[in-house]
Amino acid sequence: MNIALWIAQGLLAFVYLVAGGLKLVRSREQLVATGRLDWMKDNSDAVVRAVGAIEVLGALGVILPAATGIAPILTPIAAVGLVIVQIGALRVHLTRNERQPLPANVILLLLAAFVAIGRFAS
């Protein structure tokens, strides 16, 4: 079980570091130009950067506390935060009638829930 949790944590950290990092270093216009992030058209630069910062912090939170042994309770708390991020993403995409990103959102939500439950239990 511990190995499966670490794999899930690694996947979550990778995905959220990349996604959040891009939101922090690229302009909103560059991200919208990819054609896959239409929700950004209706949001300010500050909102996009805030989402990016939350994603990067969540990525760090699902790895560092458990890996270092410093405040390991923060790992499942960060995973719960990522569940909340995905609930928000699902809501945005459903409201905008965007179906393409939904499977990825559900998978990330389930991975984060698995980590939260698994780490709270251990």
Side-chain angles (χ1 to χ4, degrees), residues 1 5 76 113-122:
M1 179 71 148
L5 286 167
F114 171 69
V115 171
I117 294 166
R119 290 298 179 204
F120 273 129
S122 61

Side-chain angles (χ1 to χ4, degrees), residues 39-40 43 86-98 102:
W39 67 269
M40 291 182 186
N43 291 282
Q86 284 310 311
I87 290 170
L90 284 165
R91 183 177 178 272
V92 167
H93 294 306
L94 288 170
T95 301
R96 297 177 54 86
N97 203 25
E98 299 170 346
L102 296 180

Side-chain angles (χ1 to χ4, degrees), residues 1-14 59-69 72 75 111 114-115 118-119 122:
M1 179 71 148
N2 194 42
I3 292 172
L5 286 167
W6 276 110
I7 291 169
Q9 287 169 244
L11 289 170
L12 286 169
F14 175 77
L60 296 174
V62 295
I63 291 290
L64 292 179
T68 63
T75 293
L111 276 174
F114 171 69
V115 171
R119 290 298 179 204
S122 61

